[in-house]
Amino acid sequence: MAEQAPDHQAREFAAAFRSFLEWVHAPTGDENEVSALVRGFLEAEGARQSVVTRELAPFEHVNLQTAVNAWSAAAGRTVEVRGIALPPHYGGLTLQQLVAGESLPPLRLTAPALADLPNGPGTTLACLRLGLLLVTDQHGRYVVMIQAPNEHDPALQIEIAGLPVELAQGLLAELDRLRAELNVYRGHLLEVSLNPMGGVILSFAGPPGIGRDAVVLPASVLGRVERHALGVASHRDALLAAGQHLKRGLLLYGPPGTGKTHTTRYLLGQMNGYTRLVLTGRSLVAVGAVTDLARALLPAVVVLEDVDLVAEERSLGPSSSPVLFDLLDAMDGAAPDADLLFLLTTNRADLLEPALAARPGRVDVAVEIALPDAPARRRLLTLYGHNVPLELSDEDVDLAVERTDGTTASFLKELIRRAVLESLHDDPVLTAVTGAHLARALDDLLDAAQAVTRTLHGVGVDPADLPAGGALQAGPGRGGWVAYGRAGMPRRFGRYGG
Ligand SMILES: Nc1ncnc2c1ncn2[C@@H]1O[C@H](COP(=O)(O)OP(=O)(O)OP(=O)(O)O)[C@@H](O)[C@H]1O
Ligand SMILES: [Mg+2]
């Protein structure tokens, strides 16, 4: 049997519980300290004004803070920042509730809670998560509340109480102007991803650091890509004077592992000063919002990687159009004189063709990035053997170049790696990678590649060995060293399929 608690303990507990209940049911009106602060700060006239609210995309949080900081520092304005503590999982606080002093959750005044958000590659800015700005300026006294996206509301909110509506709108417009002017994303390389609610996340990325020499393509191909992507910047004024549009779409297509992504990264590295937004995979569905952003941050590049991945996918909602069409529509929205480059990559040009044909003018240049020819394969061996103690005779190289006919650039990169491994197998101290190492690595890789080919054609393969779901790919997937198909390849290719 449990021991009886002494009397004084029970009394203490009762008192604590009573004060807890009082805290939870903090009565309406001036007894809630946060509401009391707001109501006490506003002038009688101000307290009667409408609360004006604006929602912003979550990725604007850091820009809003940047704008607010600049705005707060203006001459003739004082801004006091106060934080609000809400019990965990308590959401849905509005400035309206604070002004009215009603329907309030239990609140406390605190130091402002801050989110430390990136505002550049390697720098951050402390941003208000939930806070009140008590403002005094030429318009009198008013309150601005900022609420970061949270589990209850995925949008960033800014609310204004105490100003006539036009002045509140004017303040929002002023913050818009400052957000645009001071936009932290302008001129940077940004990777676009989606949060679990489908909202856009922008992450600063460092420079790709790929030099021109590291891109092994026929000179005519690389030259064409460069002219189209980079040439416009140097001839911007002349083009505009001659009535020519700057907006352009460049499609790189070709087999996996030939360097479409690699070339794209090289170009991005050359486009300093451009706002560069990179979308891949799932994030391609955000192309509309990202294009709007690009238009606001010109000059800009929007990279749409592996667009075929969404060629057949349909967006949710009533229109239910293929995501690819949304993507092409978004490309059409920008003004022709905007220095805006859309850079698309795919290894399924066939899937794209009908959509592109139905919407002309989106892609003005399509460049095939083909399998490397013999001179290119020779260059690739040199490029990826750069830091390797290669001891190869001319015949060794000739043989390797000959035997790698039909393979990809990434295959050659992998070949060097395997040859190094072969050498390490013989001697754990890397002294020399010889023709014999290279030949062994090649035997091994080509053998593996052929096994995949056999699998593809269903020749002499045990069904148990077929990859699940028909995912037939040699090497490590996209950008892999050699690939004969794409995950999801219909099983009918195999004798055991279908
Ligand atoms: N033309 C090239 N010159 C130099 N290196 C290359 C080239 N192509 C590919 N590589 C090397 O192989 C890697 C994989 O290539 P990459 O990811 O660019 O292929 P991809 O064409 O984009 O393929 P996927 O269609 O699967 O996306 C690159 O990171 C690079 O190291
Ligand atoms: Mg790629």
Side-chain angles (χ1 to χ4, degrees), residues 275-299:
T275 307
R276 292 150 287 171
L277 297 149
V278 182
L279 291 86
T280 344
R282 287 295 310 152
S283 70
L284 285 170
V285 301
V287 63
V290 170
T291 303
D292 288 345
L293 186 69
R295 250 182 266 157
L297 300 175
L298 296 172

Side-chain angles (χ1 to χ4, degrees), residues 155-168:
L156 167 67
Q157 293 205 37
I158 172 159
E159 297 174 89
I160 301 164
L163 283 181
V165 175
E166 313 81 71
L167 286 181

Side-chain angles (χ1 to χ4, degrees), residues 210 212-218 252-265 305-306 308 345-348 369-370 372 376 379-380 383-384 408-414 473 477-481 483 486:
I210 295 174
R212 194 174 196 273
D213 290 347
V215 183
V216 178
L217 292 178
L252 304 181
Y253 69 95
T258 47
K260 299 178 296 296
T261 300
H262 191 65
T263 307
T264 299
R265 290 171 54 74
E305 272 262 43
D306 306 317
D308 51 283
T345 73
T346 184
N347 52 33
R348 293 296 307 275
I369 309 293
R379 273 180 65 198
L380 284 161
L383 174 69
Y384 289 112
T408 62
S410 52
F411 181 97
L412 284 134
K413 185 182 180 183
E414 176 67 11
Q473 208 164 19
R478 271 197 167 277
W481 41 266
R486 174 63 67 73

